Amino acid sequence: MKPEEIREKDKDIHAFLEVFDEPKTYGEGPLSGKTIAIKDNFLFEGHKASAGSKILENFTAPYDSTVVKKLKEAGATIVGRTNMDEFAMGSSTENSAYGVTRNPHDLERVPGGSSGGSAAALAAGLCDMSLGSDTGGSIRQPAAFCGVVGLKPTYGRVSRNGLIALASSLDQIGPFTKTVTDAEILYNVIKGEDPLDSTTINDETYPVQKKFDKTIGVPREFVEKEGVSEEVRKNLDEAIEKFESLGYNVVDIKLETLAYALAAYYIIMPAEASSNLARFDGVKYGLHKDGENSIDDYFKTRGEGFGRETRRRVILGTYVLSSGYYDAYYGQALDAKRAITEELRRAFRSVDLILTPTTPTPAFKFGEKSSPLEMYLADIFTVHANISGCPAISIPSGKVGNLPLGIELTADLGREDNLFTAGKDFMGE
Amino acid sequence: MDKDKVLDLAKLSRIEIGEDEAEKLSHEFETIIRYVGEVKEVEKNNKEEVDKEDFPVRNVMREDAEPHESGIYTEKILSEAPSREGQFIKVKKIL
């Protein structure tokens, strides 16, 4: 598809912030002939990268992120950068400084977020594959809302060198694709150890705990919470039946700590964001607003450059890290993180996968979530994977009317292979 | 949490916000903080010792050697600075 054609088809959706005029192909490999869209927080040398923020409106990447380098070597053609919630803070792409992205299945509804542009671009057929980043569900939730496959690999599997950071102990890069087979292909291209990201892992980092024998655990008690729509519950039951008909053994499991994952997440994420975003000061790059003196420059630049949700999270992060509250919030959240990870890893000694819905409801309408907390609850089924580092995938599992739904499979640390096996079985690939 | 507390936190965060926003945030924070406060329950319910072996913490170091050729990135990086003078980033007088 020519750039003009992508732009024309994207008019009503606004998945792209920029469609490149002359997309180039660099190498040759497993992605030859494939067009790929990247989220606006990936550095691609010579191109803008604004992370959906005014504060980086005119920032041009001075180098390639490791992932972009790998895409080039694998023969991919990068066609453009996609819209996102500012600094990946959001679950609807309504927080972008450059306007909203619309869900290709229903233009009155959100595509999910924060990687809403990447999910919508793929769902609308504007690219063959796309990339996003996932800090609390930002790949899986929009994948579910847009009816595509979305994978968050194990923490450390993909290098974040050159990714504009949100919360560094949770961030991970992953693919959006039409099929699980494609997700595996793109995953294999982008994964790997990188001296420029010291958190990257290798195949020996997590020794295998259990041999795959098609056992799936469903944390019933957790899934049947209030706020989970009837359609979503029904869809999950259908997915369970389908897995059983495919020879899977589906069992109920109890995961008591899961209920605390979202609370821990909304402490750790703003805390780390407040620290990561300290670099945007109007001095080194990006927006600069002039004040009366040097410190006033910071106040003005950050006050005007950051959007409402970003200001909210940075200030909240400052609170939970401040003296007198640190132990009560951040310290407790880290304890919860350990407890959740331990319980999940224990569960993975008896089951290969944990199955939940990806989202509590199908895609919601613009402006429907009136308070920040209501919006935060959209991440209820996805944050555990970031808190524990475990890999998780969202797979299309049917529709309510014209709105797609997704189911989510989570695997033990390092066991993306189980996600691909079960995902392909489910999709009939 | 009141408006003044939020204004103080905004100051610590180096973000200029108005009184109205501070007022609104103070109410939003009340709700959010009540919710995230639930995290304290997890310990009460899960006293089990965490197996430290499952969480390998690795410190990754590299040799302080083999630097790249001096100056090859200077122009690219400086060209992004809002204000510069020659090879330097320009800021206002501090003292």
Side-chain angles (χ1 to χ4, degrees):
Chain A
M1 212 184 290
K2 291 209 171 356
E4 311 81 69
E5 203 181 327
I6 298 178
R7 283 187 202 116
E8 180 57 33
K9 289 189 169 158
D10 188 40
K11 249 197 193 143
D12 296 331
I13 299 164
H14 191 231
F16 284 93
L17 289 179
E18 185 185 358
V19 177
F20 301 138
D21 284 328
E22 284 167 13
K24 286 193 210 55
T25 305
Y26 300 83
E28 216 186 286
L31 299 182
S32 285
K34 300 278 186 204
T35 56
I36 296 200
I38 55 172
K39 191 175 178 177
D40 191 35
N41 56 353
F42 289 77
L43 300 199
F44 178 11
E45 190 177 346
H47 293 273
K48 282 188 180 163
S50 70
S53 180
K54 280 282 171 212
I55 213 164
L56 285 175
E57 188 167 12
N58 294 310
F59 176 72
T60 302
Y63 63 94
D64 275 337
S65 51
T66 296
V67 160
V68 164
K69 220 178 271 171
K70 284 176 186 262
L71 290 181
K72 285 179 171 178
E73 285 162 9
T77 308
I78 304 175
V79 292
R81 56 189 176 96
T82 57
N83 200 13
M84 59 184 280
D85 284 301
E86 183 178 9
F87 289 109
M89 296 180 185
S91 312
S92 66
T93 316
E94 288 169 291
N95 293 335
S96 168
Y98 304 99
V100 302
T101 294
R102 295 178 182 278
N103 192 317
H105 297 273
D106 179 345
L107 296 178
E108 284 176 16
R109 289 172 192 268
V110 304
S114 64
S115 314
S118 290
L122 178 66
L126 308 178
C127 54
D128 296 322
M129 300 168 159
S130 57
L131 281 180
S133 62
D134 188 316
T135 306
S138 283
I139 291 173
R140 292 158 286 151
Q141 188 252 20
F145 280 7
C146 292
V148 297
V149 174
L151 168 74
K152 182 206 81 82
T154 304
Y155 181 73
R157 185 66 88 185
V158 180
S159 166
R160 285 100 38 93
N161 168 51
L163 175 77
I164 299 170
L166 169 54
S168 304
S169 77
L170 308 168
D171 294 343
Q172 184 57 200
I173 291 168
F176 287 96
T177 52
K178 287 276 170 78
T179 65
V180 177
T181 307
D182 275 355
E184 189 173 7
I185 292 169
L186 185 47
Y187 160 83
N188 279 320
V189 167
I190 60 175
K191 71 172 187 172
E193 269 184 294
D194 181 6
L196 297 174
D197 177 353
S198 67
T199 64
T200 47
I201 59 169
N202 58 43
D203 290 338
E204 277 79 54
T205 309
Y206 297 111
V208 172
Q209 286 202 99
K210 177 184 179 296
K211 200 170 162 282
F212 184 76
D213 67 358
K214 292 186 152 189
T215 311
I216 296 178
V218 179
R220 273 278 169 206
E221 211 170 291
F222 179 62
V223 169
E224 281 167 6
K225 282 167 93 86
E226 57 174 321
V228 181
S229 82
E230 212 38 62
E231 300 104 307
V232 167
R233 288 182 205 203
K234 203 173 139 243
N235 186 262
L236 180 71
D237 288 336
E238 286 164 8
I240 291 170
E241 272 172 41
K242 186 165 178 185
F243 273 119
E244 282 172 339
S245 74
L246 291 164
Y248 282 77
N249 178 27
V250 184
V251 298
D252 275 8
I253 51 167
K254 246 188 147 63
L255 292 169
E256 282 165 357
T257 59
L258 230 49
Y260 305 102
L262 194 69
Y265 174 75
Y266 275 97
I267 294 171
I268 294 170
M269 178 270 301
E272 293 184 10
S274 75
S275 165
N276 270 331
L277 269 58
R279 74 191 66 181
F280 301 104
D281 56 5
V283 173
K284 302 181 289 291
Y285 42 75
L287 181 81
H288 173 89
K289 288 283 171 188
D290 226 28
E292 280 171 24
N293 49 43
S294 182
I295 197 161
D296 202 33
D297 285 2
Y298 298 161
F299 281 102
K300 290 232 151 43
T301 300
R302 292 163 63 80
E304 290 182 39
F306 290 149
R308 196 171 253 281
E309 181 64 21
T310 304
R311 297 198 294 271
R312 184 184 290 128
R313 293 200 196 184
V314 169
I315 296 170
L316 183 64
T318 304
Y319 174 71
V320 298
L321 289 176
S322 62
S323 161
Y325 298 99
Y326 183 96
D327 289 333
Y329 293 105
Y330 191 66
Q332 290 279 354
L334 290 185
D335 285 347
K337 185 177 197 274
R338 264 189 294 272
I340 292 160
T341 310
E342 171 67 7
E343 190 179 28
L344 279 171
R345 295 222 70 194
R346 243 190 338 257
F348 287 126
R349 287 175 204 152
S350 52
V351 300
D352 300 301
L353 299 154
I354 291 169
L355 171 66
T356 62
T358 308
T359 60
T361 65
F364 44 89
K365 289 189 170 165
F366 290 97
E368 191 179 314
K369 307 279 178 195
S370 55
S371 76
L373 185 62
E374 227 183 295
M375 183 68 87
Y376 297 171
L377 289 168
D379 300 334
I380 188 87
F381 293 130
T382 48
V383 288
H384 67 280
N386 305 80
I387 289 288
S388 64
C390 290
I393 194 167
S394 178
I395 305 166
S397 59
K399 281 184 166 187
V400 190
N402 57 344
L403 299 178
L405 288 174
I407 50 154
E408 178 186 50
L409 293 166
T410 307
D412 197 6
L413 292 168
R415 295 308 300 274
E416 284 87 349
D417 56 338
N418 291 349
L419 300 178
F420 297 135
T421 305
K424 283 185 231 174
D425 284 348
F426 188 81
M427 300 271 280
E429 293 172 26
Chain B
M1 177 81 63
D2 57 19
K3 188 185 74 185
D4 290 339
K5 176 77 188 165
V6 175
L7 286 170
D8 185 44
L9 288 166
K11 199 171 158 192
L12 291 170
S13 312
R14 303 286 184 261
I15 296 176
E16 186 175 84
I17 60 167
E19 300 255 331
D20 286 354
E21 185 173 352
E23 179 68 37
K24 194 156 185 254
L25 281 174
S26 71
H27 301 298
E28 290 169 354
F29 285 167
E30 281 289 340
T31 323
I32 296 169
I33 285 160
R34 203 176 314 128
Y35 179 77
V36 300
E38 282 177 21
V39 83
K40 291 166 194 159
E41 305 287 314
V42 80
E43 240 192 342
K44 277 188 230 150
N45 299 334
N46 292 277
K47 282 270 176 240
E48 252 176 285
E49 257 305 293
V50 171
D51 182 2
K52 295 278 191 296
E53 286 300 296
D54 276 359
F55 305 100
V57 175
R58 303 151 295 129
N59 204 357
V60 183
M61 309 286 271
R62 66 165 180 84
E63 287 304 309
D64 187 12
E66 295 174 50
H68 59 73
E69 194 187 322
S70 179
I72 56 171
Y73 298 114
T74 309
E75 192 47 44
K76 256 188 206 165
I77 289 167
L78 275 174
S79 65
E80 291 299 324
S83 184
R84 64 184 281 192
E85 204 171 287
Q87 297 272 57
F88 299 97
I89 287 173
K90 196 174 163 187
V91 293
K92 290 199 174 77
K93 199 167 79 177
I94 291 168
L95 283 175

